[in-house]
Amino acid sequence: MNAALAGLHHVTAIASDPQRNLDFYVGLLGLRLVKRTVNFDDPGTYHFYFGDARGTPGTILTFFPWPGARRGVRGAGQVAATAFAIPEGSVGFWLERCQAQRVRVERAPARFGEEMLRLADPDGLPLELVVTAAALSAVSPAVQPWAESTVPAAHALRGFHSVTLGPLGGGERTAALLTEIFGYQRVREEAGKRWRFAAAAAGKEGVGRLVDLLIAPEDSPGHVAAGSVHHVAFRVADEAQQRAWRERLLGLGYHVSPVMDRTYFRSIYFREPGGVLFELATDAPGFTVDEAPEELGTHLRLPPAMERERAQIEQILPAITLPRA
Ligand code: ZN
């Protein structure tokens, strides 16, 4: 029997211009760039990891910025929105901040009683900022806002609130995967529109514990490119659990990748029945495996096997500047 999954680990999306991507997530949203590396499958491209001060699992949004990448097409079989938690009393701050920087933002109707804002990143990636009660705000030790952020700690994003999936063909099969296999519980429902699931193993205050499914049958399948989420990763405690998960998923008929060494975690990938690429990622070793906590994100880090090509890689990668507070 596998231990239930403990919520979201990270979300990976596709961007176009790397500097514009940094300016938005560090300069506007105030996240920390916790790792500046390359796409291990395409080392001429950056891989940026944004998160809290330490890159805590459940706070990490990562990007492959491909300069000139075309925009994706929104539709079924995709992540419809990625939501960050914000503290109570921060809606006004975020509305004003986005408007001052000419980023389109709108106050959306409360969902399940939670106030929220809707915006998109420069590539059109749909984002939500959801006011999350005290559990996830200043008192939670799970998320540590970055002291050098461009955003005051009182208003800092507190990791993922949820992702909303828009599965192909309605949500039934994805829902079954979440509840019967992943150990999630169905906790809320918006009749005929949306189901909400919570990772019981994440605990009530756990960061990134929610997954929403849009259950209204979607029109046509989307196409993943710039402005789309590429995959959603869930947390497994360690490599032994990951191996057990791999065996179990293979036994259920899923096509599961071999274990991949992503330097900061180990990963397996498979496609869920609604069409979204899922990953199970280990908490360890984390982002301080090759950089001191105070240095996170300041230098280009490469896996040991790519160090020999560092000069070449650095020449290909576009120059970037980290926004400062
Ligand atoms: Zn990933």
Side-chain angles (χ1 to χ4, degrees), residues 11-323:
V11 173
T12 292
I14 301 174
S16 53
D17 185 70
Q19 185 64 53
R20 203 171 59 161
N21 185 251
L22 278 176
D23 289 344
F24 185 85
Y25 287 97
V26 177
L28 176 74
L29 294 190
L31 298 177
R32 183 176 193 183
L33 178 68
V34 292
K35 196 61 64 181
R36 177 192 304 219
T37 184
V38 293
N39 181 340
F40 294 175
D41 304 316
D42 176 14
T45 307
Y46 281 115
H47 191 180
F48 294 151
Y49 291 79
F50 302 104
D52 74 348
R54 296 165 300 196
T56 305
T59 72
I60 307 159
L61 179 59
T62 100
F63 284 91
F64 298 126
W66 276 296
R70 266 191 288 173
R71 274 206 185 189
V73 179
R74 232 172 281 170
Q78 285 190 331
V79 173
T82 303
F84 287 98
I86 56 171
E88 284 181 315
S90 290
V91 163
F93 170 87
W94 282 106
L95 265 177
E96 239 171 71
R97 183 174 175 86
C98 292
Q99 284 160 355
Q101 300 199 25
R102 298 207 164 77
V103 170
R104 255 186 36 206
V105 60
E106 58 169 12
R107 199 189 272 269
R111 180 186 294 151
F112 301 128
E114 293 173 321
E115 267 187 285
M116 55 178 282
L117 299 176
R118 218 180 258 143
L119 64 160
D121 85 356
D123 290 296
L125 185 76
L127 298 172
E128 296 166 347
L129 304 181
V130 182
V131 175
T132 305
L136 270 181
S137 59
V139 293
S140 171
V143 178
Q144 191 187 320
W146 181 37
E148 290 165 57
S149 172
T150 57
V151 170
H155 299 299
L157 307 189
R158 307 284 171 169
F160 291 126
H161 172 276
S162 58
V163 289
T164 297
L165 311 180
L168 283 163
E172 294 286 351
R173 288 180 306 159
T174 306
L177 173 66
L178 290 172
T179 55
E180 290 162 26
I181 314 299
F182 282 9
Y184 275 60
Q185 289 169 347
R186 198 166 124 186
V187 289
R188 305 296 291 262
E189 172 169 6
E190 201 180 334
K193 273 178 86 177
R194 178 181 292 265
W195 290 333
R196 171 159 292 176
F197 300 83
K204 259 207 149 39
E205 301 186 3
V207 61
R209 59 190 276 270
L210 301 177
V211 173
D212 282 10
L213 297 188
L214 298 177
I215 51 176
E218 272 281 353
D219 23 20
S220 50
H223 173 67
V224 170
S228 331
V229 167
H230 183 266
H231 64 263
V232 175
F234 295 85
R235 296 173 66 181
V236 288
D238 55 36
E239 293 179 55
Q241 276 195 24
Q242 187 176 57
R243 278 192 299 273
W245 273 105
R246 187 166 185 276
E247 291 309 311
R248 183 166 183 205
L249 291 163
L250 285 169
L252 289 165
Y254 286 97
H255 298 278
V256 190
S257 78
V259 175
M260 312 257 203
D261 181 356
R262 297 312 194 189
T263 303
Y264 312 107
F265 41 84
R266 308 284 177 271
S267 302
I268 57 174
Y269 303 86
F270 66 100
R271 204 165 289 281
E272 59 89 16
V276 178
L277 187 61
F278 276 3
E279 172 182 347
L280 304 188
T282 56
D283 278 5
F287 294 98
T288 50
V289 69
D290 64 352
E291 242 174 346
E294 60 278 12
E295 299 255 294
L296 288 176
T298 53
H299 299 100
L300 178 71
R301 304 304 310 177
L302 297 174
M306 284 182 196
E307 276 297 344
R308 270 177 311 162
E309 297 148 62
R310 175 176 280 273
Q312 234 176 316
I313 290 171
E314 284 180 342
Q315 219 173 15
I316 297 170
L317 291 171
I320 49 169
T321 313
L322 204 55

